[in-house]
Amino acid sequence: MARLAVTLVAIGIWLAMGQIPLPFLHAEVNWALGQVQPWASLTMLGSSSFFYGFLFVEVVAMLTPRGQSFVRGGAYGRAVLWRWSVRVGLALAALDAWGLSSQLALHSGYPPLVVKWVDPWVFQVVATATLVAATGVLIGLVRWVGQAGLGHGFVVFLLFEEMRELVSYATHLQGEALFSLVVIVAFTLVARRFAVPHLLLWGVLYPLSFAFTLVATPNLAGVSSTPLMVRNVVIVVALVAVTAFLSRRPSVVALMGSPSDDVRATRAANAGRIGFMAAIAMAAVYAVLIMVGRPFLEMGGETMMIYALVATMLWFDLGEELYYRVSAREPWVAAWPIHQPYRVAVAQRAMKRSDIPYFLRGLGYRMLLGPFDPRVPIEVMVPKNRLEEAQTQLEAAIAPA
């Protein structure tokens, strides 16, 4: 239970930081919407800068020979990419902070945002430094949770934020609206129980989110006469198909893993074809369920249904990890990070062949995100007393796979 306590303490620290206003701001902030909102806090940037930082570094690594060596380099390679991702994320956070602080400093409404006796330029510098430092604290909390808490740090904070939004939205729902969310949750539980362990769900989340942002743009690409359901299902399936094809086709598998023999290459290609078709089928089902339930919900209901999908998958991942940790005699440790789905099956065979107990941390979340969120790997967790043996077996199996 110590790990659960660490996780809760980390969330509590972030919550407390959200109650601390930026320096030199009045106690209330009058935003452009004309509503007086709580002050701008230390947590106003969130983790979006790091999402883009990690994504940028991952893409660059995929496109350069030296970067590919880090991608294939197991724990060491991922540690190098992590450090660069954090640097890029902090740089992006600084840019975001400067832009936000300049908006606050230049705001001319009443009451004024910044206290009158502080020069706007001074406020921007201080606010930017403060927000970047707060973002650094978030990274520290993420690492602390990942090492000593329950679940991956980014996943835990994402679940916390989405649950706050979801609970606030769902508390007053009833009838068909509540049933729509329940259906999404039930289907996600089924998918997590039967499809995800077989790697039959890949990268469906962002195509879903993107497609349903287009609901408000009916004239996009001349498809205004197409019913919304058909249009969104087609968009989701097309995006998932492209993602699955690019991440699973044999040439990419060969590039990323440098298969050392035809057997491994054939296995990876076959798994890619199965995963390709399954990802498309899962995407279509989710798109239809969301479109069917959307009319019963209030504005923004499709977003809440996607939140329900993500939260259900994350709860399942955390519950599975908690089960393994509570029932084990030996502490579980991370033996190897995995970012390519075809490598999961290779790792599973290696662990079974060596008779090493294991579980896959973060599998459901990464299956949802696919290649779109390299912050969170699928981690092969093994008992601490089998760590060296497991790493040796995984390096031999995954590095050339």
Side-chain angles (χ1 to χ4, degrees), residues 260-325:
S260 57
D261 56 61
D262 292 336
V263 174
R264 285 197 176 107
T266 301
R267 285 176 176 173
N270 289 338
R273 283 191 288 270
I274 295 172
F276 177 80
M277 299 304 297
I280 291 176
M282 296 291 289
V285 172
Y286 270 121
V288 169
L289 288 177
I290 292 176
M291 286 306 300
V292 170
R294 182 175 174 271
F296 302 112
L297 298 169
E298 300 173 2
M299 183 176 294
E302 63 276 358
T303 300
M304 290 301 109
M305 295 183 80
I306 292 174
Y307 278 8
L309 152 64
V310 177
T312 303
M313 195 69 78
L314 296 184
W315 275 117
F316 200 110
D317 280 355
L318 291 178
E320 184 179 57
E321 180 178 345
L322 181 62
Y323 167 78
Y324 277 105
R325 290 193 182 279

Side-chain angles (χ1 to χ4, degrees), residues 58-73 246-260 264-265 268-269 340 342-343 398-401:
E58 189 77 9
V59 171
V60 171
M62 295 270 287
L63 297 177
T64 60
R66 181 167 175 77
Q68 292 169 19
S69 67
F70 290 132
V71 171
R72 297 194 296 266
L246 291 178
S247 61
R248 292 174 176 270
R249 61 195 178 113
S251 60
V252 174
V253 170
L255 173 67
M256 291 303 304
S258 301
S260 57
R264 285 197 176 107
Q340 294 78 37
Y342 72 90
R343 288 181 168 180
I398 292 179

Side-chain angles (χ1 to χ4, degrees), residues 341-391:
Y342 72 90
R343 288 181 168 180
V344 174
V346 177
Q348 289 174 316
R349 287 195 295 270
M351 294 296 92
K352 291 177 181 178
R353 186 168 54 245
S354 304
D355 197 26
I356 299 176
Y358 75 96
F359 73 92
L360 299 172
R361 184 190 205 186
L363 179 62
Y365 177 77
R366 195 57 195 270
M367 285 292 106
L368 276 183
L369 273 293
F372 295 106
D373 193 352
R375 297 175 300 176
V376 181
I378 301 167
E379 294 178 302
V380 182
M381 305 294 292
V382 300
K384 188 175 182 179
N385 61 354
R386 305 289 298 272
L387 176 61
E388 292 186 7
E389 179 186 358
Q391 288 178 328

